[in-house]
Amino acid sequence: MPLWLKVLLSTALLFVIVWFVVVPQFAGVEAALASLESVSLPLVVLAAVLQLFSLLSFSALTAAVLGPVRPDYFTLLRIDLADLGVNHVVPGGGATAAAVRFRLLVRAGVRSGAAITAATIETTGSNLVLGVVFAGGILLSFTTLVVTGTYIAAGTVVLVLLAGSGAGVWLLTRRTELVVRGACRVAARVPLISAQRVEAFVRSVAAQVLELVTDRRRMSAALGLAGANWLLDAASLGVLLAAFGHPLAVGPLLAVYGLAGLLALLPLTPGGLGIVEGVLVPALVAVGTPHATALLAVVGWRALEFWLPIPLGLVAYLSLRLGVLRRRPVTP
């Protein structure tokens, strides 16, 4: 599909989502704005700090997955910010952002194979931890949460992903040759894909996964940092709800946050724009949050979580290109 057509379709889909899903949530905007007078500014600042530490945790996760032979942490932080900024701007920008991140990592001295492998492991592992956060929220609020079809569908996806990932790790580490042969057979039937490159990629992923799972200290750090990334982000939303006068229990908070986060993974709009807002506001209302509070908290949280990384990502990218990556050669 041509790039212009992808952009056109993504833009049209974004318009439909915003018009039919997001705009109706702003029906009570006047009442919501009136409640701004009672907002707790210290809690708003705390929400921003929690969001900052969420970003720092993700880059620490990047460092843990890459291992000891890697660029310095500040370089990784700027690369991750640049990746996040692109992801939040380009329609269906996950692939474009991944390409930018890959190129920056390679220019920072990471081998191309290691960069692809680490990105695959980090993204998959982080998304699985999000699934665990969602499942934990459901369990903690099982007696009070009204479980709708959306929650059931999301829970089913989480269970399938967890089971599939467990099986995938076992196959990669215990039956590597079987996976290599299967991947090469598939690659042989797909035009423009080299079976040799597919084999090299599978072996690289298998080796890095095995290295990670057998190093308990590093594995624990990676899981903890992935959890911190999501939990700090969720805490930022929870603090903003409290700032507007309606704190939410941990269970319902994690359940609605996890649901929105899982839906945001769908490559439909940049960073789940429109989808997250359209899901979070009614989900919060369903667990007892007043509509005005839910609306203001979600808008404020998205300002920190979605919009702020865009200018930060631009500054990070320019600082990399004009600084440490200015004349660094590409590592094969």
Side-chain angles (χ1 to χ4, degrees), residues 28-116:
V29 67
E30 292 183 5
L33 292 176
S35 65
L36 280 173
E37 299 176 359
S38 59
V39 66
S40 170
L41 290 180
L43 287 179
V44 173
V45 173
L46 176 59
V49 171
L50 289 170
Q51 197 60 236
L52 172 62
F53 276 99
S54 175
L55 295 173
L56 295 176
S57 297
F58 186 79
S59 292
L61 171 61
T62 303
V65 173
L66 283 172
V69 183
R70 56 173 174 75
D72 64 90
Y73 174 77
F74 184 53
T75 297
L76 291 177
L77 175 62
R78 288 180 289 169
I79 289 174
D80 286 337
L81 284 173
D83 165 58
L84 198 58
V86 173
N87 194 13
H88 288 185
V89 171
V90 181
T96 305
V100 170
R101 188 171 188 257
F102 167 76
R103 187 165 183 81
L104 291 176
L105 283 172
V106 170
R107 290 187 65 86
V110 180
R111 291 183 296 105
S112 57
I116 295 175

Side-chain angles (χ1 to χ4, degrees), residues 6 18 35 56-57 63 85 99 109 127 134 150-151 165 179 186 201 216 239 252 272 277-278 283 292 302 316 323 326:
K6 290 182 180 180
V18 170
S35 65
L56 295 176
S57 297
N127 292 342
F134 169 70
T150 305
Y151 282 101
S165 297
V179 177
V186 173
F201 173 71
R216 292 184 179 180
V239 168
E277 294 84 352
R302 287 294 269 174
R326 186 173 184 180

